[in-house]
Amino acid sequence: MRGVVFDGKQTQVVDDLEVRDPGPGEVLVGIRAAGLCHSDLSVIDGTIPFPPPVVLGHEGAGVVEAVGAGVTHVAPGDHVSLSTLANCGACAECDRGRPTMCRKAIGMPGQPFSRGGSPLYQFASNSAFAERTVVKAVQAVKIPESIPFTSAALIGCGVLTGVGAVLNRARVDRGESVVVIGSGGIGLNVLQGARIAGATKIVAVDANPAKEAVARQFGATHFIDASAVPDTVAAVKEVLPTGADHTFECVGNVKLIRQAVDLLDRHGQAVLLGVPGFTDEASFLVSSLYLDKSILGCRYGSSRPQRDIALYAELYQEGRLLLDELVTETYPIEDFAKAADDAHHGRVARGVLTF
């Protein structure tokens, strides 16, 4: 079968990939569509260290082809959206409703794939850039068949991360103000999460003025072109003179993290979603935090996928959550190189690979 493999030096689309059958508590899924997220590119450029060779992809949707022993919530033929959380479901954190904190959900990559008899790692417990993948049953969430696969795929990462950061981690309330730094795939979902939460002033900040229209479509009430102003913080404070209740850094740049902190009002909180290099350090004025300000890390939107994916699917069907509008371009899997280049240069909000 076909898949996208990174061998530590280069990425290529191969056609001789194999995947094992599902074991107990696992599901075999035929992937129909997979979003190309910057985290995939970060593996390629080394920002996210990951052992090669690895089958990339982590934002997918498809059809269940087989289930292992003990799996009852999905069956062959079901349409599913996949999460990256291979959580155990039995530890203290899972029991407390914090599956993103499960110590078995990260740092323990499996090797369900092989090529020429040699094993390959699975990225983010998912590897959606393959025609078929094996995931834990908790990662497969049944969705209505009316949702297009190209849209459903995006729920599993971009939506869970962006909308989840607003609703689950920051818990933005009605009437509050929000600043979103970066209007890419994650930033757009933060914007629509803020809109859904009832924020009244939602300021999008991006260095690409071409993103203004889509940022406003997803919920921004104001747009700051960071490339056209000498001081971004000052420009935002013309809209929010005392600062924002919530800021979200969605780029992964330490200078922008500092901006996110500097833009906070009293009792405000800065949520970090972008991924800088693993050894990068950010700075801020310690004294600036003493007015009950907070800096919050956020893993995967503090999500509970079995609950949240179903919720977002319902919001989509009600017309309150935008998914189709996120899909800027679709590419056959053979055009991965072009899709990656478009994503790297910000030409698309979200490119989706199809099989």
Side-chain angles (χ1 to χ4, degrees), residues 344-355:
H344 176 70
H345 289 95
R347 301 187 192 104
V348 292
R350 206 51 141 210
V352 177
L353 301 175
T354 58
F355 291 92

Side-chain angles (χ1 to χ4, degrees), residues 265-291:
D265 195 358
R266 297 179 180 187
H267 208 274
Q269 49 188 17
V271 182
L272 310 185
L273 295 176
V275 182
F278 268 46
T279 59
D280 287 358
E281 297 182 358
S283 65
F284 56 90
L285 294 175
V286 176
S287 60
S288 70
L289 299 184
Y290 289 134
L291 292 173

Side-chain angles (χ1 to χ4, degrees), residues 62-325:
V63 178
V64 174
E65 294 190 358
V67 300
V71 177
T72 59
H73 74 289
V74 293
D78 286 346
H79 289 204
V80 292
S81 176
L82 302 182
S83 82
T84 71
L85 278 183
N87 56 294
C88 70
C91 69
E93 295 296 345
C94 286
D95 191 53
R96 295 168 71 183
R98 299 175 180 171
T100 58
M101 295 297 106
C102 175
R103 297 188 187 278
K104 294 185 179 180
I106 189 171
M108 303 175 67
Q111 294 179 306
F113 299 98
S114 62
R115 187 182 178 211
S118 299
L120 292 86
Y121 284 103
Q122 184 174 40
F123 179 54
S125 303
N126 190 305
S127 290
F129 294 167
E131 288 187 87
R132 295 178 185 84
T133 190
V134 169
V135 298
K136 284 193 173 182
V138 293
Q139 296 176 251
V141 183
K142 187 176 179 179
I143 57 172
E145 294 185 8
S146 59
I147 301 180
F149 287 117
T150 50
S151 296
L154 306 186
I155 301 177
C157 177
V159 177
L160 279 177
T161 299
V163 178
V166 174
L167 302 182
N168 301 327
R169 186 66 168 128
R171 298 188 178 184
V172 173
D173 202 357
R174 292 168 295 177
E176 292 187 322
S177 58
V178 171
V179 174
V180 181
I181 301 174
S183 298
I186 298 300
L188 291 176
N189 278 297
V190 174
L191 288 170
Q192 69 171 334
R195 170 178 52 78
I196 291 169
T200 49
K201 287 190 177 179
I202 306 172
V203 183
V205 179
D206 202 286
N208 183 354
K211 292 185 177 181
E212 179 174 1
V214 69
R216 290 185 180 276
Q217 179 183 19
F218 274 74
T221 59
H222 300 76
F223 183 88
I224 303 297
D225 176 6
S227 69
V229 296
D231 185 338
T232 301
V233 173
V236 173
K237 287 194 173 181
E238 289 183 10
V239 180
L240 302 171
T242 62
D245 295 310
H246 309 273
T247 61
F248 295 82
E249 201 282 341
C250 305
V251 179
N253 181 292
V254 294
K255 292 182 179 180
L256 299 181
I257 289 173
R258 172 61 183 267
Q259 284 186 7
V261 176
D262 290 344
L263 282 168
L264 293 176
D265 195 358
R266 297 179 180 187
H267 208 274
Q269 49 188 17
V271 182
L272 310 185
L273 295 176
V275 182
F278 268 46
T279 59
D280 287 358
E281 297 182 358
S283 65
F284 56 90
L285 294 175
V286 176
S287 60
S288 70
L289 299 184
Y290 289 134
L291 292 173
D292 284 359
K293 300 179 184 181
S294 304
I295 301 173
L296 305 179
C298 184
R299 171 166 161 72
Y300 204 40
S302 300
S303 297
R304 296 164 64 180
Q306 288 289 336
R307 175 198 67 176
D308 291 349
I309 289 177
L311 169 63
Y312 299 151
E314 183 176 350
L315 290 175
Y316 167 79
Q317 291 185 305
E318 293 175 354
R320 298 169 61 192
L321 182 81
L322 304 181
L323 292 179
D324 304 342
E325 296 81 358

